[in-house]
């Protein structure tokens, strides 16, 4: 496993595994980064990600990904946005009566 620090101190290139499944039991796409954890506000760009997988199959691809770390203000904004979205779900989920 090698982690390459790119031009910016906030940018890291890492190997990753892309798991794509399209079957009657499951439709999903997961990316597992090797050797790094992402936090709120971080961006992940998978290079040469497959665009299509045949129905009824599951494939694993080994690619590289670029992780752009969020700064302190971006992390705060992402945490706040997540909290506000969660409280909106509470309001919708527990409201009384029908809406007109």
């Amino acid at each position: 496993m090698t982690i390459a620090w790119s031009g910016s101190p906030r940018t890291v290139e890492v190997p990753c595994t892309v798991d794509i499944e399209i079957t009657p039991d499951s439709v999903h796409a997961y990316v597992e980064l090797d050797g790094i954890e992402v936090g709120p506000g971080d961006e992940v760009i998978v290079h040469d990600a497959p665009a299509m997988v045949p129905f009824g199959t599951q494939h694993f691809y080994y690619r590289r990904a670029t992780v752009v770390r969020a700064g302190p203000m971006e992390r705060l904004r992402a945490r706040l946005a997540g909290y506000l979205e969660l409280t909106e779900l509470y309001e919708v989920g527990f409201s009384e009566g029908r809406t007109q």
Side-chain angles (χ1 to χ4, degrees), residues 87-97:
T87 57
E88 184 177 319
L89 287 174
Y90 290 151
E91 181 179 324
V92 172
F94 298 107
S95 63
E96 292 184 24

Side-chain angles (χ1 to χ4, degrees), residues 17-55:
T17 304
V18 180
D19 169 16
I20 301 176
E21 180 177 354
I22 302 177
T23 62
D25 297 327
S26 178
V27 176
H28 69 257
Y30 299 116
V31 175
E32 187 173 321
L33 301 173
D34 297 338
I36 193 168
E37 289 191 29
V38 294
D42 291 347
E43 287 183 48
V44 177
I45 303 164
V46 178
H47 303 287
D48 298 323
M52 187 176 270
V53 175
F55 182 78

Side-chain angles (χ1 to χ4, degrees), residues 1-4 13-15 34 64:
M1 170 186 57
T2 58
I3 298 175
E13 190 172 310
V14 296
D34 297 338
R64 298 212 49 84

Side-chain angles (χ1 to χ4, degrees), residues 69-84:
R69 295 289 193 183
M73 291 305 290
E74 293 165 319
R75 285 201 193 283
L76 179 63
R77 185 188 59 77
R79 286 181 193 264
L80 183 60
Y83 177 75
L84 293 174

